[in-house]
Amino acid sequence: MRSERARLDRAVVQGFYDRMRVVAPAAYGAIERDRANDPGRPFPETACGRLAGSLDAAGLRALGMWAHHWCMRFYDDDTRVGLRLVREIAGRPGLGWTFDEVRWLLGESYAAGPAAAQRFTLPRAAAAELPPADLPELAADLPPGALPELAAGETDWRLAG
């Protein structure tokens, strides 16, 4: 983040980590079971799919944030199952993403660097739920170059890439 004004409050960030810690053991176990089994099965039949199906919107947001964070940190490991989980959560509209959650996701994505190719999948989907009036502030809060470049003809960075 570029300024103190833009920094997420420590209590807010700690709340994110507390929520992620609740889902982390089940998420890690589900990812490991899916890696060991047939990861090509239909998502609802996987351990990750069953876990995602058991959670409410707040739980899915926490699971998405954890999976996103895990994949960004271990992008060089075998994260196909984790990335599938992130894509599945990104594909679920109406989860009620907050401005601070999106800002945190984007900050994590930017920090991961370009080697983490899928790093903007979940933040883009989450940002799509924010009111358009929040987008300029969100973009202003991030370091220069943090948002992905727009492809030719696109007008919304949430859809880029």
Side-chain angles (χ1 to χ4, degrees), residues 1 6-8 99-107 138 141:
M1 307 296 163
R7 290 202 183 279
L8 286 167
F99 181 85
D100 286 340
E101 289 169 340
V102 174
R103 190 165 47 166
W104 182 84
L105 288 166
L106 281 168
L138 185 64
D141 284 347

Side-chain angles (χ1 to χ4, degrees), residues 30-50 78-85 87-88:
I31 286 173
E32 289 303 308
R33 282 189 301 282
D34 287 348
R35 283 173 62 166
N37 294 323
D38 176 15
R41 289 181 299 171
F43 185 73
E45 296 175 14
T46 65
C48 288
R50 289 189 297 277
D78 180 7
T79 58
R80 288 174 295 183
V81 172
L83 289 172
R84 181 180 187 190
L85 177 58
R87 283 191 307 272
E88 289 287 337

Side-chain angles (χ1 to χ4, degrees), residues 5 23 28 33 44 59-60 76 78 88 92 94-95 99-100 104 115-116 122 124 129-130 133 137 139-140 146:
R5 177 194 67 78
V23 298
Y28 182 77
R33 282 189 301 282
L60 274 173
D76 58 343
D78 180 7
E88 289 287 337
R92 295 181 186 208
L95 293 180
F99 181 85
D100 286 340
W104 182 84
L122 188 58
R124 281 189 192 118
E129 294 190 19
L130 296 178
E137 182 182 348

